[in-house]
Amino acid sequence: MHTTFTISTRGQGIYEFTRDVADWVRGDGVLTLFIRHTSASLLIQENADPEVKVDLVNYFSRLVPPSTDPSMSYLTHTYEGPDDMPAHIKASILPISLTIPVIGGRLALGTWQGIYLFEHRDRPHHREVVAKLIQG
């Protein structure tokens, strides 16, 4: 089985789409999720306290600031805006694919785990995440 999820973002942030995936899976198997973009990432992260998402966004914004920040003056790929190359850097250090067991038609996630798209660009995007469930 395979499908593509489209997640609309409103700019930098972490967007949960666990329910969409959970509603789609069936049977037993291994699910792979893969994001088809170079400036966004995928995460499995806590879904109970929204402050976790805020802290993660703030941490990565501090770790990799916009290209207008003096500490980023070495960047050469800057013509697509001050958020572009930092978005590529974040996507290179965070996962772009996830593997999740599916047991009895349910994602084998922990109690507080959710599936998220981490948008690294400032403006809104429609991001595609390809899902492949290998049943068995």
Side-chain angles (χ1 to χ4, degrees), residues 47-108:
N47 64 0
D49 186 347
E51 290 178 348
V52 171
K53 295 189 308 185
V54 171
D55 287 346
L56 283 168
V57 170
N58 290 339
Y59 172 78
F60 280 98
S61 294
R62 188 173 175 184
L63 181 66
V64 187
S67 63
T68 52
D69 186 284
S71 69
M72 302 299 276
S73 64
Y74 62 91
L75 295 177
T76 58
H77 178 76
T78 59
Y79 55 87
E80 292 183 50
D83 66 322
D84 184 50
M85 191 59 216
H88 292 304
I89 294 169
K90 291 171 190 175
S92 75
I93 59 178
L94 291 166
I96 58 165
S97 66
L98 302 172
T99 302
I100 304 166
V102 176
I103 302 168
R106 298 184 59 165
L107 299 167

